[in-house]
Amino acid sequence: MAVATEQMRIDDPAVAALLLHPTRARVLAALREPRSATEVARELGLPAPRVNHHVRKLRDAGLLRRAGTRRVRNLNENLYVALARTFVIAESLTPGGERRRALRTGSERRPLKNLVALGERLAGDALVLLDQAACDERECSTYATSLDLSFADPAARAAFLGDLLEAIRELRARYGVEEDGTRERYKAIVACYPAP
C-alpha cells in the first residue's frame, strides 16, 4: 500500500497556489494515509462532489497519487494518498525570493549560499518534526538558541571563529555519528554571520 514520504519541495508557482487553498490543504492533510474522497468528505464535513473536485486538482498537480481501489457495495472506490506528509514551498516563490536567489549565484558568495542552504534545511527538518509531533503525539527532544556577539576588530572575530571550530571538532570527535546505527541520531547546525 502506498505511503507518503516525509517531505516534498514545491518549486512550481501554480502548485504552490493549490497548496495555499485552505480546503485543498485540509484534503491533502487528510490523505496522508490512503483513503477515498468519500471518507475525506465525511471526515471534513464537506459535500462529496466538492472533495472529489479538489482531489482531482491535487492529483493533476502531482500532489496525490492513486493508492488502489476498494469495493463498496456495487461500486469500486478509488483510494488516494498524498505524495508527502509535509510540503515545503521553495524560498524562490516567496516575496523577493527570485532576487535573493540571483544574488547568491556568484562563487564569491559561497558562504552566504551555505548559510541559506542550511537555513532551508533547518526549516524543512523542523516542519517534518512538527508534523510528526502533531500526528504521532510523540515527544521531540530539541534545543535551539542564538546569541548576539560583538568583536573589537577582525582579529577578535577570527579568534572567535578559531575557538568555535575547535569546539566543534572536539564535539564531533566525541559525539559524531557511528556507522552501527544503534543510537538515536541528531543533527546540529551552527552558524555565525553578521547581523543583518
Side-chain angles (χ1 to χ4, degrees):
M1 193 171 269
V3 178
T5 58
E6 286 298 330
Q7 188 179 107
M8 181 176 174
R9 181 184 166 96
I10 305 300
D11 295 299
D12 183 334
V15 176
L18 277 176
L19 280 174
L20 295 175
H21 187 287
T23 303
R24 288 184 190 138
R26 291 176 67 205
V27 169
L28 201 54
L31 289 169
R32 286 186 173 123
E33 302 297 330
R35 302 169 78 187
S36 70
T38 305
E39 287 176 294
V40 172
R42 196 169 25 249
E43 178 184 315
L44 300 180
L46 297 171
R50 187 190 305 174
V51 171
N52 272 314
H53 168 75
H54 291 311
V55 165
R56 275 195 305 277
K57 290 282 191 186
L58 293 166
R59 183 198 61 209
D60 293 347
L63 300 173
L64 295 178
R65 68 171 169 247
R66 282 204 36 207
T69 57
R70 173 175 56 208
R71 190 89 172 148
V72 178
R73 294 187 211 67
N74 295 329
L75 298 172
N76 281 331
E77 199 172 55
N78 290 320
L79 302 178
Y80 295 93
V81 67
L83 289 183
R85 295 181 66 79
T86 305
F87 294 87
V88 178
I89 296 175
E91 183 230 1
S92 63
L93 299 180
T94 63
E98 281 297 328
R99 178 168 157 66
R100 288 193 298 274
R101 187 171 69 179
L103 289 171
R104 294 197 309 267
T105 57
S107 61
E108 71 280 1
R109 295 188 176 95
R110 184 178 174 86
L112 289 177
K113 287 164 58 174
N114 289 343
L115 180 62
V116 171
L118 284 173
E120 288 177 347
R121 180 178 178 179
L122 177 61
D125 288 348
L127 285 171
V128 169
L129 291 172
L130 279 170
D131 190 53
Q132 288 175 346
C135 292
D136 304 335
E137 297 181 2
R138 63 183 192 186
E139 290 294 319
C140 184
S141 177
T142 63
Y143 175 78
T145 189
S146 67
L147 57 142
D148 295 324
L149 305 169
S150 178
F151 305 107
D153 53 42
R157 185 179 66 226
F160 167 79
L161 289 175
D163 291 345
L164 181 61
L165 290 173
E166 182 56 35
I168 290 170
R169 277 193 286 273
E170 288 177 20
L171 291 169
R172 174 179 262 167
R174 193 179 317 161
Y175 301 107
V177 174
E178 294 181 1
E179 295 304 320
D180 65 6
T182 59
R183 292 195 234 172
E184 187 175 13
R185 293 179 63 165
Y186 282 77
K187 291 185 186 298
I189 294 176
V190 177
C192 183
Y193 50 92

